[in-house]
Amino acid sequence: MRTPLLAGNWKMNGSVELVEAFGRAFAEAKLPEGVEVAIFPPFPYLDAAQRTFADTPLQLGAQSLNPQQSGAHTGEVSGSMLCEFGVRYALVGHSERRQLYREGDEAVFDRLLAALSVGLSPVLCVGESLEERDAGRTMEVVLRQVSVAMSRLEPAQRARVVIAYEPVWAIGTGRTATPAQAQEVMAGIRDYLASDNPELAEGLRLLYGGSMNAGNAGELLAQPDIDGGLVGGASLKVDDFLAICQSAG
Ligand code: PGA
């Protein structure tokens, strides 16, 4: 049985006030048994979040990390720094990092390794653009992104990775993949991984991301290969995010 994971990616949004609002709401919230929930706030809020979330089931994730451990990298943050704030997860390969900051497959792999080397669980984001989907290249693109990252890892490392399928055309657009579209790609990812290691593929958590909200989460999360969600916009509203978490039960 895979443990569902709901991940709230705040991107460059939020405030100390929002951290506190989440702390209050989740301290009292009744979450479905066995569901994991993590918030990925901007770096400056990790300290407040660690303290505020201590009495809640909320875990912490980071939105990015530098592949190096330390050194002359102005403006960057390393994995070991994140660990000092109780961070458990780190996004790697988010489409905004791939597009806006030109992080290609190799840069994504370096970050994946850096996260694993300090004991973080990487959340590897993959997904096709609208152009690629329209050209019938969805599986080719997604499996390339999965394979360049996963094929060079040891099985024990691979088992600690979470994969988030986020079609680029669905991110922040309000245009969600249908449950059938998401399930098709995510079953394809699991089948691909199973061809090499069935046991590992069976245990690996696959999240859907892209305009998930309180209205569509239940149907998406009911799909057999969707083990959770990576939620952007709707994770900035406490009530909406809580409703999404509750629909994972
Ligand atoms: P969205 O973002 O839910 O706002 O579409 C998802 C993501 O980018 O992780």
Side-chain angles (χ1 to χ4, degrees):
M1 228 359 231
R2 299 181 289 268
T3 304
L5 171 64
L6 280 309
N9 173 15
W10 285 4
K11 310 192 181 185
M12 201 168 71
N13 298 298
S15 58
V16 172
E17 207 182 322
L18 191 67
V19 168
E20 288 167 354
F22 269 72
R24 280 193 301 273
F26 278 81
E28 290 166 5
K30 289 235 177 316
L31 293 177
E33 189 91 23
V35 168
E36 253 190 83
V37 184
I39 298 290
F40 293 60
F43 295 136
Y45 302 133
L46 286 173
D47 183 34
Q50 184 185 25
R51 285 184 279 108
T52 310
F53 297 167
D55 298 327
T56 78
L58 292 174
Q59 301 193 30
L60 272 183
Q63 296 176 21
S64 181
L65 78 166
N66 188 274
Q68 308 298 321
Q69 285 304 317
S70 63
H73 295 279
T74 303
E76 292 292 292
V77 169
S78 74
S80 54
M81 293 170 185
L82 298 172
C83 290
E84 286 197 71
F85 294 92
V87 170
R88 294 222 17 213
Y89 295 99
L91 299 184
V92 299
H94 190 281
S95 71
E96 286 150 22
R97 301 293 318 174
R98 291 182 193 259
Q99 284 177 350
L100 304 174
Y101 299 95
R102 302 208 182 93
E103 288 176 12
D105 287 335
E106 284 307 310
V108 173
F109 181 68
D110 292 344
R111 284 161 176 74
L112 189 70
L113 272 189
L116 288 166
S117 74
V118 293
L120 295 168
S121 286
V123 179
L124 168 68
C125 305
V126 299
E128 82 287 2
S129 66
L130 190 57
E131 214 176 34
E132 289 161 341
R133 173 162 282 264
D134 288 345
R137 295 182 51 223
T138 299
M139 275 334 286
E140 170 206 326
V141 169
V142 167
L143 294 184
R144 188 206 75 233
Q145 292 171 339
V146 170
S147 87
V148 288
M150 295 292 269
S151 62
R152 285 178 282 172
L153 298 179
E154 301 294 327
Q157 291 176 312
R158 260 184 263 166
R160 287 170 42 214
V161 176
V162 176
I163 297 180
Y165 168 57
E166 299 204 299
V168 178
W169 48 270
I171 296 178
T173 57
R175 186 178 161 196
T176 320
T178 64
Q181 281 175 324
Q183 166 60 23
E184 185 186 11
V185 176
M186 293 165 77
I189 295 172
R190 203 180 301 282
D191 284 350
Y192 168 79
L193 294 168
S195 63
D196 178 56
N197 188 334
E199 207 180 312
L200 185 122
E202 188 52 36
L204 210 77
R205 288 187 291 180
L206 304 182
L207 315 183
Y208 168 78
S211 298
M212 187 182 264
N213 59 41
N216 61 30
E219 231 193 317
L220 285 160
L221 295 170
Q223 301 301 308
D225 287 294
I226 304 188
D227 308 312
L230 180 53
V231 187
S235 74
L236 292 167
K237 298 182 198 123
V238 186
D239 292 346
D240 287 11
F241 190 58
L242 202 48
I244 293 172
C245 297
Q246 276 154 349
S247 61

